[in-house]
Amino acid sequence: MEALKAATVEFYGENPKDSKDYGRIVNARHFKRVTSLLQSSSATVFYGGDTDADMRYISPTLLSDVSPDDVIMKEEIFGPLLPVVTVEDVDQAIEFVNEREKALAFYVFTESKKNFERIRNQTFAGGVCHNDTMMHVSPPTLPFGGVGNSGCGAYHGKYSFDTFTHRKSVLSTGTGLEALNQIRYPPFSKTKLARIRWLL
């Protein structure tokens, strides 16, 4: 948590509100939505938590002591709030993720290739980024999209085309050997069933 705080200060200074590099919430409706999540949460504000409605400003905020059932864990935040949940090990982290809806993106920070492979292979998400955030969205050769509640389909290049293309199935058969289809039609018998099983 201290490292996250230090990185935030390095990026935006002691007062992010004065930083020309720190953005604002896009509109009043989303400002109200994000601040409502913060105010309704029972988590501890470890750092930040400052808001200014006139400027639609919400400071970078780190939340600790977060319950898995907290309101802030129930939906996508799309704001500068980072709830931090502590787990005992990789197994518990994987279990925690898999108990919830599939995420749009999954960011895994680890120097262990083994742990990364385990997490990547044993969880589901629209996309995975290793030791980085959001950069998996950039390459036009990588599909970007969600799965389950986080979305469907994928975008970028050919993947965009495929998403908006319907693959129509067409099966055409001749009638010359229609007599062979009699085993498919009533009345049914054990003999017909035996022949069908033999063909399959």
Side-chain angles (χ1 to χ4, degrees), residues 61-104:
T61 301
L62 301 174
L63 300 173
S64 61
D65 305 316
V66 182
S67 165
D69 299 319
D70 194 281
V71 63
I72 206 160
M73 300 295 291
K74 300 294 185 184
E75 61 180 86
E76 294 176 305
I77 298 170
F78 290 113
L81 312 179
L82 181 62
V84 178
V85 178
T86 303
V87 294
E88 295 294 328
D89 52 29
V90 173
D91 290 329
Q92 189 178 1
I94 291 172
E95 180 181 357
F96 182 88
V97 169
N98 288 338
E99 286 174 346
R100 284 155 182 78
E101 294 291 347
K102 298 174 180 64
L104 176 61

Side-chain angles (χ1 to χ4, degrees), residues 13-55:
E14 292 292 343
N15 186 4
K17 190 174 184 180
D18 295 334
S19 171
K20 62 182 178 59
D21 299 312
Y22 187 72
R24 300 297 186 263
I25 304 299
V26 66
N27 58 39
R29 179 170 65 89
H30 283 293
F31 174 86
K32 184 176 180 180
R33 180 186 60 78
V34 177
T35 53
S36 176
L37 285 174
L38 178 60
Q39 293 163 359
S40 302
S41 174
S42 60
T44 301
V45 176
F46 178 84
Y47 173 75
D50 302 319
T51 64
D52 183 333
D54 291 335
M55 297 183 66

Side-chain angles (χ1 to χ4, degrees), residues 150-171:
S150 63
C152 61
Y155 306 93
H156 288 172
K158 182 179 182 298
Y159 301 103
S160 298
F161 180 83
D162 290 342
T163 292
F164 294 103
T165 300
H166 172 68
R167 298 176 182 272
K168 180 169 61 177
S169 299
V170 177
L171 173 68

